[in-house]
Amino acid sequence: MPLPTGPVIGIMMDNLKKRKSVFPISGRKAVKWSQKLEIPVGGETVLYTGSMYQLLPYMIAAVNRMGKMEDSFLGQYVGLGRFFNKMFNVSSIMFRPKRADHKRFRRIIRDIARLLQQAGVDFGYLYKKELYAGALAFDLGVDETFVAHAQRLSNLFKAQGVRSLITIDPHTTNVLRSVYPTIIDGFDIEVKSYLEVLAENDTLRPINKVEGEITIHDSCVYARYEDVVEQPRQLLRRAGYTVKEPKNNRNLTHCCGGPIESLFPSMAHQIGGKRVQQLKDAQGKGVATMCPICMATLQQAANGDLEIDDIASFLAKAFCPPGANDKSAEEKRSQP
Amino acid sequence: MAKVNPDFIKKVTASKQFNASECMNCGVCGAVCPMEIELLPRKLFRYALLGLEDKVLEHTPVIYQCLLCKMCEANCTADVHIAENVRFLRTYISKKVYQL
Ligand code: SF4
Ligand code: SF4
């Protein structure tokens, strides 16, 4: 039996209204990735994570829990969960992420920041002041909540003197670059994905030798909403990899299924399974994703049969000094 | 019997985002959709344009199953903003049915 759509959306939207994020995450956890990177506080240009990578461990835990509930009698009690969630933070008790998941998503953000530092890009970070950008509320059509949240974020940018944002995932890039200017009066902050920033940068050159064939998985949102198609290919080639293309690629890429994972987990897995087959058929030694949702959904669908990692990790191997950010043994074991 | 809701027609036609009337009914979108959603936008959007609110609400799960991936739009020659139209129907359901 499918999960009840209204209450599931309701829980996430109540969290966004009350706790400023779809899955409440502590400020300490959200900024932990930045330790020892010595990124300045604030500034005109900031690296904006929008907490997407940090939220993924919670989403994985939630999807596992919801997936189990989808076909069980428990599904009917989601409405009750929403009632209690309004008063105290039920979602943080129900969805407990694995420590290793926190680690691997943190490692990716670190790789992104290290790549930008290596390229000599001048940027700051808003640390605990940073907020989720609201993509899920927009996609689910909960416009009042989304607009109120967007206004809150726009005020924050103004107060902090931010003029330009470097984003790290397609969904945050899309809402900030293409949706905010249509709903917030005078929103004129420049928004660029780090992939665009790095592709334009001539200073970034490989310092370590890498080789091998990497299959690229385009994100629907980057490719069809934001026209970010060439940049990841150019960067992988500059790093030293050979880029392999799956059957559906570029602006005809095949969705990973992730966007409906919170409401229809089993359907999402079927879509992910179809995409994994296409990626396997491309016969690269690894698959590079550029969205944390794609990475998590495809890894789950591949079930360990395919090396799937974020493009930032493949790039960091070539462009950044080795050692400092390697995968821990715990992380390697935990990866599906 | 299908019931026409004039208020629903008004809301749909007043929206600048909802451009389903451009659809030529060619069926390409359904053929390329990874979810194999045959209903969108040919039938479902037509129900909306006709003000058949009950029929639209009957298909609420499909409206939320759409991935908003725009594979359909990349192949649509009539430039129908399919994903935005689906999102528009969600905004309607969010308010009217889920009171969000
Ligand atoms: S592809 Fe475009 S014109 Fe053809 S049925 Fe779909 S929306 Fe209508
Ligand atoms: S946007 Fe929705 S209807 Fe269009 S191809 Fe994707 S899932 Fe299908």
Side-chain angles (χ1 to χ4, degrees), chain A residues 5-6 9-10 82 138-144 220 224-225 248 252-255 257 259-260 264 267 271 274, chain B residues 17 34-36 60-61 64-71 74-75 83-84 87 90-92 94-95 98-100:
Chain A
T5 312
I9 300 176
R82 186 186 172 201
F138 179 71
D139 286 352
L140 292 171
V142 191
D143 281 10
E144 263 174 38
C220 303
R224 286 194 280 267
Y225 285 68
N248 277 102
L252 293 179
T253 185
H254 190 293
C255 185
I260 56 164
F264 305 99
M267 276 184 176
I271 300 292
K274 280 193 211 166
Chain B
Q17 304 145 17
M35 293 294 294
E36 292 162 20
T60 296
Y64 286 95
Q65 277 158 17
C66 170
L67 299 153
L68 303 183
C69 72
K70 286 199 181 181
M71 180 67 130
N75 289 279
E84 188 48 37
R87 220 193 63 78
R90 288 181 184 176
T91 60
Y92 186 82
S94 288
K95 266 200 129 131
Y98 301 144
Q99 268 117 43
L100 290 168

Side-chain angles (χ1 to χ4, degrees), chain A residues 240-310:
Chain A
Y241 298 107
T242 304
V243 177
K244 298 280 275 183
E245 301 281 352
K247 184 171 162 227
N248 277 102
N249 65 347
R250 298 174 180 268
N251 77 327
L252 293 179
T253 185
H254 190 293
C255 185
C256 65
I260 56 164
E261 186 127 36
S262 53
L263 294 174
F264 305 99
S266 35
M267 276 184 176
H269 292 158
Q270 277 173 27
I271 300 292
K274 280 193 211 166
R275 181 54 168 172
V276 163
Q277 194 51 53
Q278 289 191 343
L279 295 168
K280 274 188 190 160
D281 293 345
Q283 294 186 338
K285 103 172 158 48
V287 173
T289 55
M290 44 196 109
C291 165
I293 300 178
C294 294
M295 187 178 97
T297 318
L298 293 172
Q299 280 179 343
Q300 184 117 357
N303 205 12
D305 260 8
L306 201 55
E307 192 206 335
I308 301 172
D309 207 343
D310 196 279

Side-chain angles (χ1 to χ4, degrees), chain A residues 151-217:
Chain A
Q151 190 61 61
R152 186 153 51 187
L153 192 46
S154 167
N155 295 345
L156 172 75
F157 292 145
K158 257 206 196 117
Q160 297 295 315
V162 175
R163 297 296 316 138
S164 155
L165 298 167
I166 302 174
T167 49
I168 69 171
D169 76 88
H171 297 269
T172 306
T173 309
N174 172 247
V175 284
L176 289 172
R177 179 151 81 190
S178 304
V179 184
Y180 275 41
T182 67
I183 54 162
I184 306 281
D185 259 356
F187 188 89
D188 60 355
I189 294 176
E190 182 192 54
V191 180
K192 272 189 183 173
S193 146
Y194 81 95
L195 293 167
E196 294 168 295
V197 174
L198 293 180
E200 280 168 10
N201 181 295
D202 290 332
T203 335
L204 188 68
R205 293 282 144 203
I207 53 171
N208 310 307
K209 191 168 162 43
V210 294
E211 54 190 18
E213 295 176 326
I214 302 295
T215 306
I216 196 160
H217 166 74

Side-chain angles (χ1 to χ4, degrees), chain A residues 32-183:
Chain A
K32 200 166 176 194
W33 66 269
S34 61
Q35 276 173 1
K36 297 196 187 137
L37 287 175
E38 288 168 23
I39 304 170
V41 181
E44 284 202 356
T45 299
V46 296
L47 177 67
Y48 203 74
T49 76
S51 291
M52 280 290 280
Y53 279 86
Q54 298 93 317
L55 282 172
L56 247 291
Y58 295 87
M59 293 189 189
I60 292 171
V63 164
N64 285 339
R65 178 62 72 98
M66 304 276 226
K68 284 185 192 124
M69 285 168 82
E70 195 179 21
D71 294 315
S72 97
F73 73 99
L74 284 171
Q76 60 191 307
Y77 293 113
V78 175
L80 207 58
R82 186 186 172 201
F83 176 76
F84 286 115
N85 189 55
K86 279 186 183 171
M87 291 174 278
F88 62 94
N89 197 347
V90 170
S91 38
S92 72
I93 303 164
M94 267 182 81
F95 312 133
R96 282 202 182 274
K98 287 191 201 149
R99 215 165 64 121
D101 280 339
H102 280 305
K103 272 196 176 167
R104 71 192 169 108
F105 285 98
R106 274 204 296 267
R107 179 180 50 77
I108 297 166
I109 319 175
R110 286 181 70 79
D111 278 337
I112 293 170
R114 290 164 72 229
L115 283 162
L116 289 164
Q117 287 179 329
Q118 202 64 23
V121 178
D122 198 5
F123 65 94
Y125 176 43
L126 294 176
Y127 291 86
K128 288 184 185 171
K129 290 204 168 83
E130 197 187 74
L131 294 174
Y132 173 65
L136 195 60
F138 179 71
D139 286 352
L140 292 171
V142 191
D143 281 10
E144 263 174 38
T145 308
F146 172 69
V147 172
H149 187 76
Q151 190 61 61
R152 186 153 51 187
L153 192 46
S154 167
N155 295 345
L156 172 75
F157 292 145
K158 257 206 196 117
Q160 297 295 315
V162 175
R163 297 296 316 138
S164 155
L165 298 167
I166 302 174
T167 49
I168 69 171
D169 76 88
H171 297 269
T172 306
T173 309
N174 172 247
V175 284
L176 289 172
R177 179 151 81 190
S178 304
V179 184
Y180 275 41
T182 67
I183 54 162

